[in-house]
Amino acid sequence: MSVSQIRVRAPARRLCLSSFVLAGITGLIVWAALADLLQQGRLQTALSAGWAELAAPLLVGLVVATGICERIWPAERRPVLARGHLQDACYLALHAIVVIPLMTLLSVGAASLIASHARWIEVRSTAHWSGWLLVPLTIVAMDGANWLAHYADHRLDPLWRFHALHHSQEELSVLTSFRAHPLMHTTGFILATIPVVALMPTRAIAPVLITAYVCVGTLQHANLRWTFGPVGRVIVSPAYHRLHHATDNQVVNLGVVLTIWDVLAGYARFPGRRGAVGRTGLDGRPVPVEQDGAARPALLLLADQLIEPFQPRG
Ligand SMILES: [Zn+2]
Ligand SMILES: [Zn+2]
């Protein structure tokens, strides 16, 4: 048999099945939400309410003000049109067009599925509690659920495949808050909906409180050295969250808004006031990044980054 007759079978490039499963689960939750909202004729109302919460003028103002502060007191000085900023601006656009409606439908869908299949989790006695006690308690529980989802993102490979994109940013700025794969939000919304349905089955959290919560979560990526002083022992500051984005040690400082969960789990590392600004990003660049000299134009790279979790790795 000649060499040319030997047919070597190339190893099949298998796609990442778990990523398709997560996409399927997300699709089912969104479908449940759409079916529910269309039946009640409330689709437009729900989408508008989601938009009002997640793209509120307060949040837009915070992003602009933080961007100005980053120019005046940057943790790392870099051009305003740095590639990292431009790429994350594309994610901001994706967030506004795709992710906000998706988040709205995920939260409606998760609440509807939990209400129809796990009604037993509702704590009816809270109906008599004062809002001054119940609302803060629910928000703290929601933050705990978000911490758990973030912990799972780092501990479970199928979830890390989607979370890695967020960590791939080597030029952190306030816009990095929006650098997330749309499918990264599914577990967080399912888990965060549980305490809301359990503790407030018949009441809603005021939209302004959700917006305030999102604002604090957005500020943490700012290219600033701010530690928030004593408040930073409780609320996640930009300096605290930057340690979570370090290239070498991401399983610290997983908190979304409150640091208490990290403290309780032994994962809190509080930044020093004068500490050096460490590098961020992922060693070895497992996700294609804009800082790579051979990177494609922003929108093509965005597509590469979004399909990356579905591809085989390593
Ligand atoms: Zn993370
Ligand atoms: Zn982050």
Side-chain angles (χ1 to χ4, degrees):
M1 189 183 287
S2 72
V3 173
S4 62
Q5 287 173 305
I6 302 172
R7 300 187 66 183
V8 179
R9 183 174 294 200
R13 277 179 63 80
R14 279 168 301 181
L15 295 171
C16 183
L17 182 65
S18 62
S19 295
F20 285 92
V21 170
L22 187 69
I25 292 169
T26 307
L28 282 175
I29 298 171
V30 167
W31 182 78
L34 282 172
D36 233 33
L37 291 170
L38 284 171
Q39 193 187 19
Q40 299 166 18
R42 289 198 310 115
L43 179 59
Q44 192 54 48
T45 313
L47 290 176
S48 302
W51 187 266
E53 276 178 8
L54 299 168
L58 182 65
L59 180 60
V60 176
L62 177 100
V63 171
V64 172
T66 308
I68 294 168
C69 291
E70 286 178 333
R71 302 312 306 159
I72 305 171
W73 305 290
E76 278 182 323
R77 194 163 287 284
R78 62 178 92 100
V80 70
L81 296 180
R83 278 222 62 180
H85 299 175
L86 294 177
Q87 196 65 25
D88 286 354
C90 293
Y91 280 98
L92 176 62
L94 184 77
H95 184 83
I97 298 164
V98 176
V99 177
I100 287 180
L102 176 69
M103 283 175 157
T104 307
L105 293 173
L106 278 175
S107 96
V108 170
S112 141
L113 287 170
I114 292 170
S116 52
H117 296 289
R119 188 143 237 153
W120 50 269
I121 69 163
E122 293 179 6
V123 184
R124 287 280 157 184
S125 56
T126 56
H128 309 292
W129 292 15
S130 155
W132 292 105
L133 171 67
L134 187 58
V135 173
L137 184 71
T138 306
I139 291 176
V140 168
M142 207 174 76
D143 190 64
N146 281 330
W147 183 93
L148 204 59
H150 193 185
Y151 176 80
D153 283 340
H154 281 270
R155 289 295 185 197
L156 304 176
D157 194 57
L159 299 180
W160 170 250
R161 289 302 306 263
F162 289 98
H163 190 57
L165 168 60
H166 177 67
H167 277 273
S168 66
Q169 182 52 273
E170 297 172 6
E171 297 172 299
L172 228 55
S173 78
V174 67
L175 298 177
T176 308
S177 302
F178 307 99
R179 183 192 184 96
H181 198 291
L183 294 173
M184 191 192 92
H185 303 290
T186 306
T187 32
F189 272 85
I190 294 172
L191 288 177
T193 302
I194 292 173
V196 178
V197 173
L199 296 171
M200 298 182 63
T202 54
R203 292 194 255 178
I205 298 177
V208 68
L209 293 177
I210 300 289
T211 303
Y213 182 87
V214 174
C215 281
V216 179
T218 301
L219 188 59
Q220 62 185 231
H221 293 103
N223 180 28
L224 296 165
R225 284 173 165 270
W226 294 355
T227 61
F228 291 168
V231 176
R233 305 296 292 190
V234 182
I235 302 285
V236 172
S237 68
Y240 182 89
H241 192 65
R242 176 175 269 270
L243 294 176
H244 177 64
H245 278 261
T247 51
D248 54 348
N249 192 4
Q250 289 124 15
V251 192
V252 297
N253 298 4
L254 295 154
V256 176
V257 164
L258 297 173
T259 61
I260 50 169
W261 316 108
D262 288 322
V263 172
L264 290 173
Y267 290 146
R269 301 287 180 277
F270 290 99
R273 276 177 61 82
R274 294 267 163 240
V277 176
R279 281 195 314 121
T280 64
L282 294 175
D283 278 339
R285 293 179 169 167
V287 176
V289 289
E290 54 274 26
Q291 289 82 12
D292 187 332
R296 304 209 290 164
L299 287 178
L300 292 175
L301 179 64
L302 181 93
D304 287 346
Q305 290 170 331
L306 293 179
I307 60 171
E308 192 282 331
F310 298 94
Q311 295 173 324
R313 187 185 278 178

